[in-house]
Amino acid sequence: MSAEQGSKIFRTLAHRRPGGPGALPDEGRLPSFARATDWLGTEPLTAEALRGRVVLVDFWTYTCVNWLRTLPYLRAWQEKYAESGLVVVGVHTPEFEFERDLRNITAEVSRLGVEYPVAIDSEYGIWDEFANHYWPAVYLADAEGRVRYHHFGEGEYAATEMAIQRLLLEAGVDGLDLDLDLVMVEPTGLEVSADWHTLRSPETYLGYRQSSGFVSEDADRYDRPHRYPGDRRLAANTWDLRGRWTQTGESAVLHEAGGRISFAFHARDVNLVMGPARRGAAIPFRVLLDGAPAAEARGTDLDEAGFGTVRAQTTYQLVRQHGRVVERVVTIEFLAEGVEAFCFTFG
């Protein structure tokens, strides 16, 4: 059997006739977008106006690394299937307070190349209409306005794309005109999938409402500046501060130059959600791995010497290792005051 014959047989198995055995279930009507607080890239959309089109609704928030790793597929599906009747609607529902700022969202939409319509859901109205609980989350609705498929989290890209194709065929798109090959993407930076085989460090928040692993945690110090010595030995997946910081409910805020955050991790990548506490500030920093500059293992937001600059409230890739992954300690030293650090993620 040739590769081409095998591909055709696989597609026959994957794309059954509309309504036949294995058809996608009906999960109810497509909920309303009426509670959006704003829109980017379009006039306000309604479920009724989208009838006749296949609709992919994607819940996201721009610092979420899990969502960032799905973005190459969203872009590719938008490009490939828009002319066949697919409408991608991004629903931006914030996790952190700064993600409610329309200026921040607009800047990230442009920087990330998000060219499909985006509903701003800063009050969680659309989130509640969908009874959603996850970033990222994808819902697919057919041309009749019925939700027929959903997926939460990363992965299942082939299954999602085949569901898109099936709903387009059900909507009457000529199968001869629909390319049933699956998209191929070439992600870079934060959009590269995690190395799941070596990933042993969890998402870790620095604000006390969700923090874990902070070796100097003390409820008596919450919301008050404190000088942390930063001299404790770190076990796996623990972290500490050095310098004068305030741990708030959402973040750790630095009050003097030279402050540090250290984390004992086991992963290929280290990312940190952070930003300047004062808009417009630029805060230089450097990254060390086991006390040495992270030059060869630097992430995409560092220069060749392991230095970077915090200019916006977003996700920064600090470390991407090459070769064998073992437990290490990453240290971020800030050369000026005024940074807010929110959450570590790993890949």
Side-chain angles (χ1 to χ4, degrees):
M1 180 187 300
S2 69
E4 181 178 359
Q5 288 172 321
S7 176
K8 289 180 179 178
I9 289 174
F10 174 76
R11 289 198 297 235
T12 298
L13 293 171
H15 299 280
R16 297 180 175 89
R17 292 188 180 186
L24 297 171
D26 186 331
E27 300 180 5
R29 65 173 179 81
L30 178 64
S32 170
F33 301 111
R35 294 170 67 185
T37 56
D38 213 328
W39 287 84
L40 297 179
T42 183
E43 293 297 314
L45 299 176
T46 66
E48 292 74 20
L50 291 168
R51 292 286 179 86
R53 310 292 294 277
V54 174
V55 182
L56 187 158
V57 179
D58 174 61
F59 282 89
W60 65 297
T61 190
Y62 74 77
T63 62
C64 175
V65 72
N66 305 97
W67 173 78
L68 286 164
R69 295 193 288 239
T70 72
L71 181 56
Y73 293 90
L74 294 164
R75 290 198 207 97
W77 295 334
Q78 160 78 9
E79 180 178 355
K80 180 176 179 179
Y81 298 111
E83 291 187 2
S84 297
L86 176 69
V87 176
V88 178
V89 179
V91 178
H92 186 275
T93 311
E95 179 175 17
F96 300 109
E97 189 63 30
F98 64 80
E99 291 175 303
R100 297 175 183 271
D101 190 321
L102 188 60
R103 293 171 296 179
N104 289 345
I105 303 168
T106 302
E108 291 295 310
V109 163
S110 175
R111 186 179 71 86
L112 295 169
V114 176
E115 297 183 350
Y116 45 81
V118 174
I120 307 302
D121 189 34
S122 293
E123 302 305 321
Y124 280 66
I126 304 173
W127 179 281
D128 290 342
E129 293 289 335
F130 276 77
N132 185 56
H133 299 282
Y134 302 98
W135 298 280
V138 165
Y139 298 85
L140 283 175
D142 63 19
E144 301 301 317
R146 308 295 295 181
V147 176
R148 302 285 302 283
Y149 174 90
H150 69 269
H151 177 68
F152 304 138
E154 300 177 57
E156 297 295 341
Y157 302 116
T160 301
E161 185 172 0
M162 288 189 287
I164 292 169
Q165 294 173 351
R166 180 178 290 183
L167 294 181
L168 289 172
L169 291 172
E170 287 187 12
V173 176
D174 190 332
L176 296 177
D177 297 330
L178 188 65
D179 178 5
L180 297 181
D181 288 332
L182 303 182
V183 299
M184 300 292 290
V185 302
E186 297 181 356
T188 59
L190 285 164
E191 297 178 5
V192 174
S193 178
D195 183 356
W196 300 109
H197 295 293
T198 61
L199 179 55
R200 298 178 191 169
S201 291
E203 181 176 43
T204 301
Y205 292 86
L206 278 62
Y208 62 74
R209 284 199 295 266
Q210 298 184 74
S211 65
S212 61
F214 182 20
V215 298
S216 296
E217 188 94 27
D218 185 341
D220 290 338
R221 299 170 183 165
Y222 291 168
D223 296 313
R224 294 190 299 128
H226 178 77
R227 185 173 301 281
Y228 294 89
D231 55 4
R232 299 196 186 192
R233 186 174 183 86
L234 297 178
N237 297 324
T238 65
W239 59 279
D240 203 5
L241 299 173
R242 178 178 177 181
R244 191 164 177 263
W245 296 80
T246 295
Q247 188 185 26
T248 73
E250 194 171 64
S251 67
V253 184
L254 176 62
H255 303 295
E256 63 182 6
R260 293 184 170 198
I261 308 173
S262 296
F263 196 113
F265 74 100
H266 193 295
R268 182 194 65 197
D269 302 342
V270 179
N271 314 306
L272 181 57
V273 179
M274 58 181 173
R278 179 174 56 82
R279 180 177 288 276
I283 303 164
F285 66 92
R286 68 169 180 164
V287 175
L288 306 172
L289 275 177
D290 299 328
E296 297 303 318
R298 67 185 182 276
T300 52
D301 289 301
L302 304 184
D303 65 17
E304 293 183 355
F307 287 82
T309 303
V310 177
R311 300 181 186 276
Q313 294 165 317
T314 191
T315 302
Y316 293 81
Q317 185 183 88
L318 307 180
V319 172
R320 169 153 292 162
Q321 299 188 77
H322 306 279
R324 185 166 176 257
V325 172
V326 297
E327 184 180 316
R328 308 185 72 175
V329 175
V330 61
T331 298
I332 307 96
E333 180 181 19
F334 299 95
L335 308 182
E337 65 176 351
V339 75
E340 286 184 296
F342 295 85
C343 180
F344 279 99
T345 59
F346 302 91

